[in-house]
Amino acid sequence: MVTTAAPAAQIAPSPGLGQGEILGHLGAGGAALVVTVVLVLGVKAAGKGKPLPWTLALFLGALAATLYAAAGGIWSTPADLIGTLLAALGVGGSGGPLGNVGMGAAACCIAAVLYWKKLTLKQVAIWGFVMAYVAGRAGGIWGVFASVVASFAKVLGV
C-alpha cells in the first residue's frame, strides 16, 4: 500500500526586511508615533532606561520632524506653526521685521544655539525638530543634513 504525504503548505515570506524595513511596516504616522514616544520617554528616562545621549536626542528630534511631514494630517501641525512663525519674522522671504533673512542664516543661528547654549535633552529634541524644518528648506550643507535624516526615515519603512 502506497501513501502519499500531503503537500507542505507554503509559508509566505515575511514582508519588511526584504524591503529594508527593519521594524516591519510602521507607516508614516506609526513611525512618527514611535519616535515621539521614544523622545518623550528618553529625555526623562526612568526605570531601566538611561537618558538619551545629546546627539541622539537631536537626531530623533530631526527625525520626528521628517516623519511628521511624511505622515501629514494632524502630524503636520507643529511644522505649520514653525513655518508660520518664521514667515511672520520674514525668514525665508523678504520684507519682514528682520529684513531679508534666508533659511541658511536661520540654520546657522540654530546651530549656534545648539552648540553654545546649555540645553536640556527636551530642548535639544525641540531644537532638532526646528532644525530639520529649516535645514530642509535652507539648502547647502543643511540640505545634506536633512537628506541624511530623510534617508534614515526610509529605513524605518516610511
Side-chain angles (χ1 to χ4, degrees):
M1 178 178 221
V2 176
T3 59
T4 59
Q10 291 196 356
I11 299 173
S14 176
L17 198 53
Q19 290 101 23
E21 296 175 352
I22 294 171
L23 302 174
H25 182 69
L26 299 177
L33 178 63
V34 169
V35 171
T36 301
V37 168
V38 168
L39 273 172
V40 169
L41 297 176
V43 298
K44 293 183 179 184
K48 293 182 181 183
K50 293 183 179 183
L52 293 170
W54 188 93
T55 52
L56 187 56
L58 177 65
F59 180 77
L60 289 177
L63 181 61
T66 303
L67 294 172
Y68 285 20
I74 192 81
W75 293 106
S76 64
T77 303
D80 292 344
L81 291 173
I82 292 169
T84 301
L85 176 63
L86 291 173
L89 294 173
V91 177
S94 61
L98 301 176
N100 183 9
V101 178
M103 285 291 190
C108 289
C109 290
I110 293 169
V113 168
L114 286 166
Y115 189 77
W116 280 295
K117 179 110 171 84
K118 184 173 176 152
L119 301 169
T120 65
L121 285 177
K122 181 179 178 182
Q123 292 169 330
V124 168
I126 292 169
W127 277 107
F129 189 98
V130 174
M131 182 60 152
Y133 178 88
V134 171
R137 287 150 185 81
I141 194 154
W142 308 112
V144 173
F145 169 76
S147 69
V148 167
V149 174
S151 295
F152 190 78
K154 288 182 183 177
V155 172
L156 293 176
V158 177

